[in-house]
Amino acid sequence: MSESAVRNITLEACHSLSTIPQKVWERLAGTDNPFLRYDFLEALETTRCTIEETGWKPCHLLFRLDGEIAGIAPAYLKSHSMGEYVFDWAWADAYRRYGMDYYPKLLIAVPFTPSQGPRLLLDPKLRDTLDSQAIHNLLNTLITRIGAHSWHLLFPNAKDQKLLQHEGQLHRIGCQFHWHNRSYEHFDDFLGELTSRKRKSIRKERRQVAEQGITFARFDGAGIPDHVLAAFYVFYQATYLKRGQRPYLSQSFFEKIRETMPEHLHIVMAVKNGEMIAGALFLSGGNTLYGRYWGCLEEYNHLHFETCYYQGIELAIKQGLQTFDAGAQGEHKLVRGFEPLITHSWHGIAHPGFHDAIEAFTHEEAEQVMGYYEDAKTVLPFRQTTGVEGNN
């Protein structure tokens, strides 16, 4: 890339989504991915889920090419590491022990959402102009300007991953488990691909849920009644309160996205004796169903698996979606037909000493993750495994 091209690219931070015109955001981000919708990120801000007081100060990135807006990215100036799902608590603790500040840090990610997808939403002309050295230089310069000590870009897709590949920066990998729809028309079509033992095990789990007198009701988009949304929020809160944490999202956030992006929203409620006892919320977009939030007040045998996984699989099949991303972690998904997938993140650490120490850690961690990934592939429940989906 020529020196003149570098000079024509600038990167700045915007401390409110409202400073970026919605039409500009949608031109660059599109409207297929629910987590990159202007409406989704705006709802987080206007319902005060992502504000400075919660440790999520908006710091969205604005790329300009020859003075014109040519790229954006959702970003936040963080004062903690909660709600990220790429864990760097040990890094922060090391800084503290040496009497140094780890926060604030620049996080380029979708809040509370460990789902792989586009992060650098760039006009094709800008993407063609940039290379990995330029993007890292821009980010390293920006954190110095805004007073951050590091930057972290989480869960990029293959297209962004290609742009971010750079030997001088820190690359981490993780492992998730996604379900893939191989042209199934019914849940039984999926079961037919499993070994006899695993097929019987899933049918037994589903039967035991039904034998407890539990049935399921699904509600979609603008048709989700207020009392259903309110009941779901009680269950959602319970998931956090059981762990002694405050929930990240407010009920008004869910009400807002029901109003502004209903086509993406689905809720499944478990019902017993006419009363809702548990619920799970899903978002759909493009070819993917995302299982995001779940909760219950009392424990029932296999209820979590049925509500979050099997009901989600049925929803994905019914909607003709190709992938079901049921969230981070959870190797128990493997025996239920979810396949391992490598996820990525990139990190820019300003302090040279800590950069070197963290780099050594990421290399060791990557070996462990790849070993885990390879082991996970060996326990998949399919009768004839044709190979898991790609790592990107």
Side-chain angles (χ1 to χ4, degrees):
M1 183 169 57
S2 69
E3 189 68 23
S4 61
V6 174
R7 287 197 299 266
N8 290 331
I9 300 172
T10 60
L11 176 61
E12 60 194 73
C14 302
H15 297 301
S16 172
L17 195 67
S18 63
T19 62
I20 304 174
Q22 183 168 353
K23 289 184 178 180
V24 171
W25 188 280
E26 291 179 348
R27 173 175 62 84
L28 294 165
T31 56
D32 280 348
N33 187 310
F35 306 116
L36 297 174
R37 286 281 302 264
Y38 187 95
D39 300 304
F40 183 87
L41 298 169
E42 181 190 43
L44 287 172
E45 291 185 25
T46 58
T47 60
R48 301 183 62 78
C49 299
T50 52
I51 57 173
E52 187 170 7
E53 288 79 0
T54 64
W56 288 84
K57 181 179 180 180
C59 197
H60 305 302
L61 306 187
L62 200 64
F63 295 82
R64 294 184 184 272
L65 180 63
D66 297 329
E68 299 295 325
I69 298 175
I72 51 175
Y76 300 85
L77 200 60
K78 292 291 303 297
S79 59
H80 55 69
S81 293
M82 293 184 288
E84 298 176 15
Y85 302 95
V86 174
F87 304 109
D88 62 352
W89 297 104
W91 303 359
D93 185 60
Y95 271 69
R96 181 189 59 79
R97 286 187 280 111
Y98 278 88
M100 300 178 64
D101 292 327
Y102 184 70
Y103 306 106
K105 65 178 186 178
L106 178 67
L107 182 75
I108 307 162
V110 177
F112 325 119
T113 306
S115 293
Q116 196 163 250
R119 292 295 176 266
L120 300 172
L121 311 170
L122 308 178
D123 183 279
K125 290 182 180 179
L126 176 58
R127 190 175 291 273
D128 290 342
T129 304
L130 284 170
D131 59 20
S132 60
Q133 184 66 60
I135 193 71
H136 287 279
N137 286 347
L138 286 166
L139 290 169
N140 291 337
T141 300
L142 179 66
I143 61 171
T144 300
R145 192 162 70 242
I146 64 176
H149 304 291
S150 58
W151 60 263
H152 309 261
L153 193 153
L154 311 186
F155 302 107
N157 65 357
K159 197 172 184 180
D160 285 346
Q161 178 69 7
K162 183 178 180 180
L163 180 58
L164 290 162
Q165 290 283 357
H166 190 281
E167 292 182 357
Q169 298 298 336
L170 305 178
H171 176 213
R172 295 183 76 181
I173 61 172
C175 186
Q176 293 184 355
F177 306 94
H178 294 185
W179 180 87
H180 301 285
N181 184 357
R182 295 185 170 88
S183 301
Y184 305 129
E185 294 185 6
H186 304 283
F187 192 89
D188 279 347
D189 296 337
F190 156 62
L191 290 182
E193 296 293 315
L194 308 184
T195 64
S196 175
R197 185 167 64 89
K198 298 302 183 183
R199 186 165 60 247
K200 289 177 180 178
S201 176
I202 290 176
R203 283 176 172 158
K204 182 179 179 181
E205 287 182 352
R206 303 199 79 184
R207 184 172 65 251
Q208 289 179 343
V209 171
E211 288 171 350
Q212 295 171 86
I214 299 172
T215 58
F216 293 87
R218 198 184 94 208
F219 305 88
D220 302 302
I224 300 173
D226 288 343
H227 74 281
V228 170
L229 195 58
F232 164 76
Y233 191 72
V234 171
F235 302 140
Y236 163 77
Q237 281 186 308
T239 300
Y240 290 87
L241 296 176
K242 289 174 184 177
R243 300 196 297 261
Q245 299 177 357
R246 294 181 59 186
Y248 294 128
L249 302 172
S250 63
Q251 184 171 334
S252 58
F253 166 77
F254 293 107
E255 292 171 347
K256 183 75 171 176
I257 63 172
R258 179 185 58 176
E259 173 189 344
T260 59
M261 43 185 289
E263 66 274 24
H264 298 284
L265 191 61
H266 315 275
I267 288 180
V268 171
M269 298 298 261
V271 180
K272 181 179 174 67
N273 297 327
E275 299 289 333
M276 292 178 285
I277 60 169
L281 183 142
F282 303 84
L283 291 166
S284 61
N287 290 319
T288 303
L289 179 69
Y290 303 91
R292 286 279 71 87
Y293 312 109
W294 130 275
C296 64
L297 299 183
E298 297 182 28
E299 300 298 323
Y300 294 87
N301 199 23
H302 303 309
L303 181 58
H304 174 258
F305 299 142
E306 175 66 43
T307 310
C308 294
Y309 302 154
Y310 304 144
Q311 291 292 318
I313 289 172
E314 288 194 343
L315 177 58
I317 292 172
K318 185 172 183 178
Q319 294 210 325
L321 300 172
Q322 299 304 304
T323 303
F324 175 24
D325 167 2
Q329 302 174 323
E331 62 186 24
H332 51 271
K333 297 170 186 169
L334 277 170
V335 296
R336 294 170 176 87
F338 289 75
E339 302 174 26
L341 174 83
I342 294 295
T343 60
H344 303 267
S345 62
W346 285 86
H347 308 264
I349 304 295
H351 190 282
F354 278 109
H355 177 282
D356 293 345
I358 292 173
E359 183 177 34
F361 164 80
T362 60
H363 289 319
E364 180 179 342
E365 180 188 49
E367 291 183 4
Q368 296 172 355
V369 171
M370 287 306 301
Y372 176 77
Y373 169 77
E374 294 297 335
D375 288 344
K377 289 194 293 184
T378 68
V379 297
L380 289 169
F382 299 101
R383 287 187 291 110
Q384 187 176 7
T385 302
T386 57
V388 293
E389 303 296 317
N391 294 350
N392 295 316

